[in-house]
Amino acid sequence: MRKYTSVVVVDDDMISRGYMKMFIKPSRRYQIAACLSLADDLPDWCFENGPPDLIVMDIMMMNGRDGLTVSAQIKKRWPETKIILTTSMADVDCVDRAREIGVNSFWFKTYPELPLLEVMDRTVAGENVYPEHTPEVSLGELRASELTFQQRRVLRLLTEGLSNREIAERLVVSASTVKTHLDDIMDRTGIHSRTALVAQVVRLGLVDSTPERQRTGEEQQTKTEKEGYAQ
């Protein structure tokens, strides 16, 4: 019997998970063992089922730990498991941190230099595939790569139409902290309207704009997508 490379996809965005499945499932080289909506679920899944050959995981998670943090845990416990981190964020710091952790490969969703399957093939073959250049994307007058991780989280919740108080409750910070982040972003980008800022963020694909309430409604379904998809 032909041996497939087992793959676990981890992404809290339903559209991204569907994209991954659409490209991976038809391949005769790979078998999707699970699709998880939370990076925090990955270690438990690996303990229960055994680590997969390959993990394709998004970095930005609105709930629980981010993909970089969980990758470090996986690499410490199962160093032979190969990991490809993905992101729509043009952030050079994420690339550098991934290298330090020992992540095998890195793929930009929005600005890919190579098709995902090629990155997977080369990673499984033992290569470390990283982008030659970090995409230079500007949000107004500011390079998007200069946004901090927390500022991206604020922007993502802003795209849901939340107030500063509501964003603060989601992030477990004070409303004044949220205001400070937004004031800094607006000052540095030169975009002083919340509506215009949201429009630019969504257009550039700097954050996952899927409403969190929609992701929450899908949580039960996505957390049970743990069976193989080759059938």
Side-chain angles (χ1 to χ4, degrees):
M1 177 180 289
R2 181 189 180 99
K3 184 181 184 301
Y4 291 88
T5 297
S6 60
V7 182
V8 170
V9 173
V10 186
D11 198 307
D12 64 350
D13 178 25
M14 179 189 66
I15 295 175
S16 291
R17 289 195 306 274
Y19 174 86
M20 299 292 182
K21 287 191 287 186
M22 180 179 68
F23 281 92
I24 297 172
K25 185 177 178 180
S27 171
R28 297 181 179 181
R29 303 184 296 279
Y30 300 100
Q31 183 178 46
I32 299 180
C35 283
L36 307 177
S37 60
L38 297 174
D40 274 336
D41 289 340
L42 180 60
D44 287 342
W45 190 94
C46 289
F47 276 114
E48 180 180 346
N49 300 279
D53 300 312
L54 177 66
I55 295 167
V56 181
M57 179 160 53
D58 189 34
I59 291 175
M60 183 70 119
M61 301 283 169
M62 286 309 299
N63 295 306
R65 293 174 297 171
D66 62 89
L68 281 161
T69 301
V70 174
S71 290
Q73 180 182 355
I74 295 296
K75 277 296 185 181
K76 183 176 181 179
R77 179 62 179 82
W78 297 285
E80 298 305 314
T81 296
K82 299 184 184 300
I83 300 176
I84 300 173
L85 281 180
T86 72
T87 186
S88 59
M89 306 182 302
D91 189 346
V92 67
D93 288 340
C94 287
V95 177
D96 292 341
R97 288 176 62 196
R99 290 185 188 276
E100 292 171 2
I101 290 168
V103 168
N104 302 85
S105 298
F106 197 103
W107 188 71
F108 284 113
K109 298 178 186 177
T110 315
Y111 312 94
E113 295 178 357
L114 298 170
L116 176 60
L117 278 178
E118 181 177 341
V119 175
M120 292 172 63
D121 289 344
R122 291 171 59 181
T123 301
V124 170
E127 289 188 57
N128 292 336
V129 184
Y130 275 75
E132 294 185 6
H133 307 285
T134 301
E136 286 293 345
V137 181
S138 294
L139 179 61
E141 300 171 6
L142 177 70
R143 289 187 304 174
S145 59
E146 296 177 14
L147 291 167
T148 67
F149 182 77
Q150 189 74 338
Q151 285 176 334
R152 291 176 185 276
R153 298 184 75 194
V154 169
L155 287 174
R156 177 167 175 178
L157 292 172
L158 188 69
T159 65
E160 295 187 25
L162 302 185
S163 66
N164 287 6
R165 179 183 58 78
E166 291 169 327
I167 293 172
E169 290 175 355
R170 296 281 186 90
L171 299 181
V172 195
V173 297
S174 68
S176 62
T177 296
V178 173
K179 183 178 184 302
T180 297
H181 281 310
L182 287 174
D183 287 346
D184 181 61
I185 292 169
M186 289 182 176
D187 181 60
R188 296 169 70 195
T189 61
I191 303 173
H192 299 290
S193 159
R194 291 171 75 101
T195 301
L197 184 60
V198 167
Q200 284 292 316
V201 167
V202 173
R203 183 181 67 81
L204 294 171
L206 295 180
V207 300
D208 165 27
S209 57
T210 302
E212 187 170 349
R213 59 183 176 274
Q214 178 178 334
R215 294 194 302 275
T216 302
E218 297 157 358
E219 183 175 344
Q220 184 61 39
Q221 173 186 347
T222 56
K223 289 182 69 174
T224 57
E225 291 177 346
K226 296 182 179 181
E227 71 277 8
Y229 287 83
Q231 298 179 354

